[in-house]
Amino acid sequence: MKNHRALALIVVALFTLALLAAGCGGDKKPATPAAPAAAAPIVLKLAETHPPDYPTTLGDKKFAELVTERSKGRIKVEVYPSSQLGEEKAAIEQVQLGALAFTRVSSGPLAEFNKPLGVFSLPYIFDSSAHMWKFLEGPDGQKMLDGLQTAKFVGLCYYDPGARSFYSTKPIKELADLKGLKFRVIQNKINMDMVAAVGASATPMPYGQVFSALQTGVIDGAENNAPSYLTSNHYQIAKYYLLDMHQRVPEVLVMSKVVWDKLSPDDQKLIKQAAVDSVKTQRELWNKFEKEAMDKVKAAGSTVTEVKDVKPWQAAVKPVIDKYRADYKDALEAIDKARK
Ligand code: GTR
């Protein structure tokens, strides 16, 4: 009996202590439990070179929209167009370090960080856009995207790059006209060799500096697809556009491996899928804008010359392919296979 009473007293004492510890002692009313604070969204930045309404930027925006929608606002991707966060090389470096989550860039500059992508700078390796996409969407193209992990990137998807052609402030209407001219190129060794092979000289420089370099006559021209030729305003100074279509250098949406590794497997899956699903939008808009851009530069007075026969061009740059064939043997064979 005595024992029971003692036990009851201990239980009452403990109960009182528990109430006091919970702040419910004395006259205080029991506190209403606070609603769990909504977790702040994960904000991830994406750097883009092109202006807000350019097809790659609209692809980035579609990607961002899908991420927000599918994560119910938990993850936000902020797209910074027009090189606000730096030129392509600087953006790639920041992504590699993890200071920036994403960038959409050409595989041209990216190849300086991950050599296998250099194959895409080789001239005339793709016959057409369809040939290129067959390769990119096949196992070998996807393997190259996955291979970016070795350089601390996560390759999310490819976007359509169109075909690059030469343009100049001097009249260029055929291959021979390029002789002795100075063209800006995206910095990489293959571009330097390619321009030398067509009898001209190459000056590598960031995209954002090309306009003034054309204006001041530091260079005689550059090379790019029609949408870039238009939106960079290079067409206003370099009025001769020669459609030799020497390269198709895929655009790539890459993520920082450092940032990727901090996400849950479910969020990683969500991001990868959103990128893959944004490709359709980018490709549709690309096709439309490529035609529009061509019409606009013509209407603005550019002389656009079609190259009827690319064989002399292919012959001129063949030594470049030969020089790099061993380095890119497997990819070149796979690209050849995708042709059939
Ligand atoms: C464009 C490409 C850009 C950039 C630019 C350049 O076609 O979309 O990402 O690489 O060319 O020539 O620098």
Side-chain angles (χ1 to χ4, degrees):
M1 193 62 182
K2 221 172 169 186
N3 280 350
H4 279 156
R5 200 172 301 145
L7 195 66
L9 278 173
I10 290 170
V11 170
V12 170
L14 284 176
F15 186 65
T16 313
L17 276 175
L19 281 179
L20 282 171
C24 302
D27 312 326
K28 282 196 203 142
K29 295 236 156 67
T32 343
I42 303 172
V43 179
L44 303 171
K45 292 183 179 171
L46 189 159
E48 167 66 66
T49 289
H50 292 299
D53 53 355
Y54 193 93
T56 53
T57 317
L58 296 173
D60 306 335
K61 286 182 183 165
K62 180 71 193 179
F63 162 64
E65 182 191 308
L66 292 175
V67 169
T68 305
E69 187 185 298
R70 292 174 186 177
S71 70
K72 302 197 168 55
R74 260 190 322 105
I75 311 176
K76 284 207 161 70
V77 177
E78 290 176 348
V79 178
Y80 291 84
S82 311
S83 295
Q84 284 174 59
L85 303 182
E87 294 278 0
E88 290 200 327
K89 186 164 178 267
I92 298 170
E93 279 164 359
Q94 290 184 65
V95 168
Q96 197 178 39
L97 290 170
L100 235 178
F102 309 98
T103 186
R104 190 292 314 157
V105 285
S106 160
S107 49
L110 199 51
E112 294 289 285
F113 298 76
N114 182 236
K115 195 174 169 221
L117 291 184
V119 71
F120 296 134
S121 292
L122 288 172
Y124 298 111
I125 53 166
F126 296 118
D127 293 347
S128 60
S129 173
H131 176 200
M132 180 195 69
W133 276 108
K134 192 163 165 219
F135 172 78
L136 296 180
E137 287 178 329
D140 296 285
Q142 292 303 303
K143 219 163 71 196
M144 286 177 68
L145 213 48
D146 295 342
L148 277 159
Q149 296 242 1
T150 57
K152 283 195 173 301
F153 300 108
V154 178
L156 295 176
C157 65
Y158 294 110
Y159 280 164
D160 204 310
R164 299 179 77 101
S165 293
F166 286 101
Y167 51 84
S168 176
T169 52
K170 313 259 164 67
I172 50 168
K173 293 192 170 177
E174 54 180 341
L175 177 57
D177 295 336
L178 302 189
K179 220 176 179 61
L181 299 186
K182 236 190 249 168
F183 289 98
R184 174 269 174 175
V185 289
I186 289 182
Q187 168 127 38
N188 78 39
K189 189 77 183 69
I190 296 175
N191 286 331
M192 308 285 288
D193 290 339
M194 178 190 69
V195 172
V198 294
S201 66
T203 307
M205 73 175 69
Y207 191 47
Q209 291 174 15
V210 182
F211 186 84
S212 65
L214 286 168
Q215 239 175 358
T216 54
V218 168
I219 49 172
D220 301 304
E223 45 81 58
N224 223 314
N225 50 48
S228 291
Y229 175 53
L230 170 76
T231 56
S232 61
N233 291 326
H234 297 171
Y235 75 99
Q236 293 174 0
I237 312 168
K239 291 194 169 294
Y240 298 90
Y241 192 39
L242 181 52
L243 285 178
D244 60 278
M245 299 189 173
H246 53 264
Q247 288 168 328
R248 292 181 188 271
V249 192
E251 312 285 8
V252 192
L253 184 57
V254 281
M255 183 168 186
S256 167
K257 175 95 170 50
V258 179
V259 179
W260 173 267
D261 286 342
K262 289 184 187 144
L263 297 177
S264 69
D266 280 352
D267 285 348
Q268 291 174 343
K269 220 167 111 193
L270 185 153
I271 284 179
K272 171 75 186 174
Q273 196 56 46
V276 169
D277 293 345
S278 72
V279 176
K280 187 169 171 276
T281 302
Q282 191 274 343
R283 288 184 62 181
E284 281 168 10
L285 294 171
W286 180 266
N287 291 335
K288 204 166 142 260
F289 193 59
E290 208 174 26
K291 290 184 194 81
E292 273 172 35
M294 194 62 86
D295 290 345
K296 282 189 180 158
V297 297
K298 281 184 188 161
S302 282
T303 304
V304 179
T305 308
E306 305 233 352
V307 172
K308 295 262 156 46
D309 183 12
V310 289
K311 288 206 189 74
W313 290 79
Q314 289 171 328
V317 298
K318 184 163 180 298
V320 182
I321 309 256
D322 292 343
K323 178 172 170 186
Y324 292 98
R325 193 178 299 279
D327 292 354
Y328 299 112
K329 189 172 168 286
D330 293 348
L332 283 173
E333 278 171 15
I335 288 170
D336 253 351
K337 228 166 72 196
R339 181 173 284 121
K340 279 138 211 164

